[in-house]
Amino acid sequence: MRGVILRETGKPVEVSDGLAIRPPGPGEVRVRLRAAGVCHSDLSMCEGRLPARLPLVPGHEGAGEVVELGPGVTGPPVGSHVILSWIPPCGGCAYCLGGQPNLCTSVSPPAEPTLTVGGEPAYAGLGVGCFAEETVVDARAAIPIPDDVPFEVAAVVGCAVLTGVGAVINTARVRPGSSVLVIGCGGVGVNVIQGAALAAAAPVVAVDRVPEKLAAARAFGATHTLTPDELREAAKELTGGLGFDYAFEVVGRSETIRQAYKSTRRGGTTVVVGAGSADDPVTFSAAELFATERRLLGCLYGSGDVRTDFARLLRLWRAGRLDLEGLISRRITLDGVGEAFEAMGSGDVIRSLVTF
Ligand code: APR
Ligand code: ZN
């Protein structure tokens, strides 16, 4: 089959017709991809800033159709439409039972790689490998959705929407009337913005270094937009000199995490949504953490429960309270993924979406 492959970090991705997929084993299903979004984490893996096993088939924001069940698997049945979850909850560990299934680590990667390229093993990015025509995943990673949800809409729910909206409603549990700052207005950032609007936060202040992204931020509900240089002055003005109740960092860099943290009020909360790299430490003095009671929260996959949150987000979309179509700036084929990585830095693309 056809798929995108990265052989060496820092090198461009290639498209290969020489990928092969093995049948699903016990506990697994085979899914035919129908749509997949291009997320910044895919690029970070290809550039070596996030860990990934090579050769890599990237892509972790996908939706498709179940086409085969492994031995003993009872569902989702063949024909089901599913969103792929890059953290499959096992359902039985302390995290799953304790209400934090996004932290489940019990579902291990398959013993035998699901993919080969030219006869050699290849590895599905984040266990799902959505930039290929098909993928074999743990059945618990295939979350069924209603048949009438367009695959394109379903795909973006699989990462950007759950991560961004989840950061607001699950991780931070923002109360109406809270002041919110969002640094980074890409595919994930605009979902933090629309999550904040949904939570009736005000003001919702968006910051990005690319001016064109600020127009998108406004369209998704930001009440004010700023360049990074304007932030320090404007933050004071917009919050009556206090600082923000909440600051969301959606870039994944120590510098912007510091910026977010410094923009919060005493007792305010910073949520780190961006996926940063292991060699980029963030420093805080012991005194500042103690003396101002500013809080710092991590956020993995929107602190969500994919078994209930995908459906919850789709209900909000159906009710017209989340704009998911508006996230999709352009449709590409697998051949366009390399170029979509480059377009990420430009102003006019929120999400490039691979259709099959
Ligand atoms: N200050 C402000 N904005 C910045 C800065 C900065 N120093 N550096 C980058 N940005 C902006 C970019 O201009 C872009 O609009 O951050 C945005 C990042 O958006 P995308 O590239 O679309 O990335 P996205 O897919 O939204 O992911 C954001 O979340 O899932 C993680 O790995 C992902 O860390 C990444 C983050
Ligand atoms: Zn992602």
Side-chain angles (χ1 to χ4, degrees):
M1 63 170 181
R2 199 167 167 73
V4 173
I5 188 123
L6 179 84
R7 294 175 196 273
E8 204 182 320
T9 49
K11 292 277 158 66
V13 291
E14 299 161 29
V15 178
S16 171
D17 288 310
L19 273 176
I21 192 160
R22 66 159 170 78
E28 295 177 335
V29 298
R30 183 163 59 94
V31 173
R32 179 166 299 145
L33 268 301
R34 298 291 298 273
V38 182
C39 177
H40 205 111
S41 301
D42 296 313
L43 175 60
S44 298
M45 279 180 251
C46 292
E47 289 178 335
R49 279 180 289 115
L50 289 178
R53 205 160 169 192
L54 300 175
L56 170 76
V57 175
H60 62 274
E61 184 178 273
E65 206 173 328
V66 175
V67 288
E68 187 184 352
L69 305 184
V73 175
T74 52
V78 168
S80 306
H81 294 191
V82 296
I83 297 176
L84 294 170
S85 167
W86 50 268
I87 301 175
C90 78
C93 72
Y95 291 114
C96 287
L97 296 173
Q100 293 178 296
N102 62 313
L103 301 181
C104 175
T105 53
S106 302
V107 180
S108 20
E112 187 200 336
T114 56
L115 300 165
T116 51
V117 58
E120 297 298 314
Y123 301 93
L126 295 183
V128 286
C130 295
F131 297 155
E133 289 168 333
E134 295 189 348
T135 185
V136 164
V137 296
D138 190 288
R140 292 167 290 193
I143 311 295
I145 52 163
D147 282 359
D148 65 340
V149 177
F151 285 111
E152 302 192 346
V153 159
V156 292
V157 171
C159 185
V161 182
L162 177 54
T163 301
V165 178
V168 177
I169 64 178
N170 295 329
T171 314
R173 296 176 180 271
V174 168
R175 290 205 310 149
S178 305
S179 56
V180 166
L181 174 70
V182 181
I183 302 183
C185 306
V188 181
V190 294
N191 279 295
V192 174
I193 292 167
Q194 67 173 336
L198 184 71
V204 178
V205 180
V207 177
D208 202 290
R209 65 176 176 196
V210 178
E212 293 85 3
K213 299 268 184 178
L214 297 176
R218 232 175 253 277
F220 280 93
T223 58
H224 302 75
T225 55
L226 304 169
T227 63
D229 294 340
E230 295 168 334
L231 174 59
R232 187 188 280 257
E233 276 308 298
K236 289 231 167 68
E237 220 169 279
L238 293 168
T239 60
L242 284 176
F244 289 90
D245 295 324
Y246 293 94
F248 293 85
E249 194 276 352
V250 208
V251 180
R253 293 169 50 129
S254 55
E255 185 193 318
T256 36
I257 293 170
R258 281 294 322 184
Q259 243 166 28
Y261 184 82
K262 278 195 299 195
S263 307
T264 57
R265 62 167 172 82
R266 288 164 61 81
T269 302
T270 297
V271 183
V272 179
V273 186
S277 83
D279 59 4
D280 186 18
V282 196
T283 47
F284 297 91
S285 74
E288 68 187 319
L289 284 166
F290 166 73
T292 70
E293 209 181 272
R294 287 185 169 86
R295 293 160 196 244
L296 186 64
L297 303 181
C299 172
L300 179 64
Y301 215 174
S303 309
D305 185 338
V306 293
R307 298 164 300 182
T308 49
D309 278 356
F310 287 163
R312 185 177 171 213
L313 294 165
L314 288 170
R315 285 197 298 275
L316 288 163
W317 163 74
R318 261 190 223 282
R321 318 225 14 206
L322 286 178
D323 176 10
L324 304 189
E325 290 89 346
L327 296 168
I328 303 160
S329 315
R330 52 191 211 144
R331 290 160 185 84
I332 57 173
T333 63
L334 287 170
D335 299 283
V337 169
E339 197 248 319
F341 284 158
E342 284 164 34
M344 220 161 236
S346 83
D348 48 354
V349 178
I350 300 174
R351 268 295 192 258
S352 301
L353 197 97
V354 179
T355 55
F356 294 83

